[in-house]
Amino acid sequence: MEIKVENVKYSYRGCKEEILKGIDMEIEEGKIVAIVGKSGSGKTTLLEMFNALRLPKSGQIQVGDFLISRENKHLDTEQLRFQVGLLSEFPEEQFFSLTVKEELSLPLRFYNYNEQKIEERIRNVLQMVELDESYLHKNPLTLSNGEKRKLALASILILNPSLLLLDEPTIGLDYENEKSLLKLLRLLKSRYKKTILIASHDTEFIHKIVDFVYVLKDGKIYLKGNKYEVFKEEEKLKKCGVKSPKIISFSNRVWKQKGIKIGYRDEINDLIKDIYRYVR
Ligand code: ADP
């Protein structure tokens, strides 16, 4: 689903200072897009507007057919949230069922799915997040951190949303779980054609997966572009409290110091192969 953000401003009740001072964005369908910025830069605040958990103080967000703005009193939030799934920063804190099966059934029951469809969807999402069916009768609170995150993601995917909003999805994940998340996001994009919006400060992870990046600073979009255009701007990113991915900093340094253009690679192994080619 296509998304257009126009001049969105926001301040928290009782706070004079605007957290968002006029944000414009355009997100193409089927792309993975990141909102990057240091802690406190407003990423979560902005992300929560895409499913109308917060409304802009002024400006508007068009998400497919839904217009999110203060003025639109006819917004069908139930339908919007059916199509837009939000994975919050600490989703584990929101489990309230005694079994994994119940946790996954709840959203479907809310939208009146029948039992057969519920079973089918549950099997499907468990496979997507790589949890086997032995988990169905476990208590969500007894799962490991990585498993909890998988369950939280499964409970968002269960409704098959067109747009996925992920808030700091890598926080607390170990290397293996990060790898599975990467694989899942690639699958959601390529096979399921989802549009995915990720708020994160974790550029090491983000650069491996995103098509387009917006960098937030002082309530505004300070930089935007494809990941190569944005992440090579080390100095500008530094001003935003954001680090360039190591692999891109390395390529930049080799270019500046040795005049060798080795290009940009998502995976370190590919970069090493390129370097071998130059050395030979
Ligand atoms: P990020 O996700 O980039 O860390 P947030 O959107 O969470 O940033 O927060 C942006 C700013 O808004 C921060 O300065 C934060 O302290 C402030 N803020 C967040 N939530 C609230 C709230 N409920 N009330 C007042 N200020 C808030």
Side-chain angles (χ1 to χ4, degrees):
M1 102 197 322
E2 296 209 5
I3 299 162
K4 195 164 184 191
V5 178
E6 286 176 88
N7 201 16
V8 160
K9 298 182 180 174
Y10 190 83
S11 54
Y12 281 97
R13 198 171 297 191
C15 300
K16 262 199 206 141
E17 204 207 340
E18 275 183 342
I19 300 296
L20 303 173
K21 298 177 180 163
I23 301 289
D24 294 295
M25 297 167 78
E26 269 184 67
I27 298 174
E28 275 178 59
E29 193 166 54
K31 298 281 184 207
I32 302 185
V33 174
I35 303 168
V36 167
K38 68 176 181 187
S39 179
S41 59
K43 302 183 292 298
T44 301
T45 308
L46 181 56
L47 201 69
E48 288 177 347
M49 288 185 190
F50 290 84
N51 77 343
L53 210 59
R54 283 180 200 293
L55 290 177
K57 198 174 79 178
S58 65
Q60 61 179 45
I61 304 182
Q62 185 82 43
V63 177
D65 294 334
F66 301 95
L67 180 68
I68 303 167
S69 74
R70 289 247 161 210
E71 291 73 38
N72 182 10
K73 305 288 179 211
H74 305 291
L75 177 68
D76 186 343
T77 32
E78 211 170 274
Q79 268 310 312
L80 173 71
R81 288 176 195 160
F82 182 70
Q83 294 186 39
V84 180
L86 169 69
L87 182 76
S88 62
E89 194 173 340
F90 301 105
E92 307 74 45
E93 291 168 6
Q94 286 160 23
F95 294 147
F96 42 82
S97 302
L98 287 174
T99 65
V100 166
K101 186 172 182 185
E102 213 30 56
E103 190 68 36
L104 292 174
S105 310
L106 275 176
L108 297 173
R109 288 193 208 288
F110 180 79
Y111 285 98
N112 296 320
Y113 279 66
N114 67 37
E115 286 307 314
Q116 192 195 343
K117 193 78 191 158
I118 291 178
E119 296 275 328
E120 201 180 294
R121 292 286 316 147
I122 288 181
R123 229 175 297 126
N124 190 251
V125 290
L126 280 183
Q127 214 174 20
M128 279 169 138
V129 300
E130 297 178 327
L131 288 178
D132 63 53
E133 296 195 12
S134 69
Y135 282 89
L136 284 174
H137 301 290
K138 291 191 181 174
N139 183 329
L141 299 178
T142 63
L143 304 182
S144 73
N145 280 344
E147 290 164 347
K148 281 180 181 164
R149 195 62 63 87
K150 285 179 175 180
L151 173 60
L153 199 48
S155 67
I156 308 285
L157 293 173
I158 198 97
L159 289 174
N160 196 17
S162 313
L163 170 64
L164 270 172
L165 310 170
L166 308 179
D167 196 1
E168 298 286 2
T170 57
I171 280 194
L173 291 190
D174 62 17
Y175 177 68
E176 282 305 318
N177 282 315
E178 228 181 79
K179 255 185 19 191
S180 350
L181 179 63
L182 208 54
K183 192 171 138 200
L184 174 61
L185 292 179
R186 287 185 178 136
L187 182 80
L188 289 171
K189 179 185 160 173
S190 61
R191 188 186 302 167
Y192 297 97
K193 313 289 175 213
K194 306 285 182 203
T195 307
I196 303 173
L197 185 53
I198 309 176
S200 178
H201 72 284
D202 184 358
T203 51
E204 293 297 338
F205 178 82
I206 288 297
H207 94 98
K208 292 184 184 171
I209 187 93
V210 291
D211 299 299
F212 203 85
V213 185
Y214 288 93
V215 185
L216 272 182
K217 182 179 184 286
D218 302 328
K220 295 207 161 139
I221 302 290
Y222 181 73
L223 260 181
K224 65 176 179 179
N226 73 42
K227 59 182 177 180
Y228 302 114
E229 289 165 345
V230 168
F231 287 138
K232 71 174 189 206
E233 298 289 348
E234 284 182 73
E235 286 307 313
K236 287 186 182 166
L237 288 173
K238 214 174 183 180
K239 281 191 196 151
C240 307
V242 174
K243 265 191 169 174
S244 247
K246 286 195 191 93
I247 201 163
I248 293 185
S249 304
F250 178 76
S251 298
N252 271 354
R253 216 165 307 140
V254 173
W255 168 238
K256 276 186 202 144
Q257 292 178 7
K258 301 283 177 195
I260 299 172
K261 217 172 187 129
I262 48 176
Y264 299 110
R265 292 290 195 167
D266 295 343
E267 300 293 340
I268 191 84
N269 288 345
D270 295 330
L271 186 71
I272 290 171
K273 279 185 206 153
D274 289 347
I275 293 169
Y276 271 128
R277 236 171 272 138
Y278 277 109
V279 173
R280 262 199 279 130

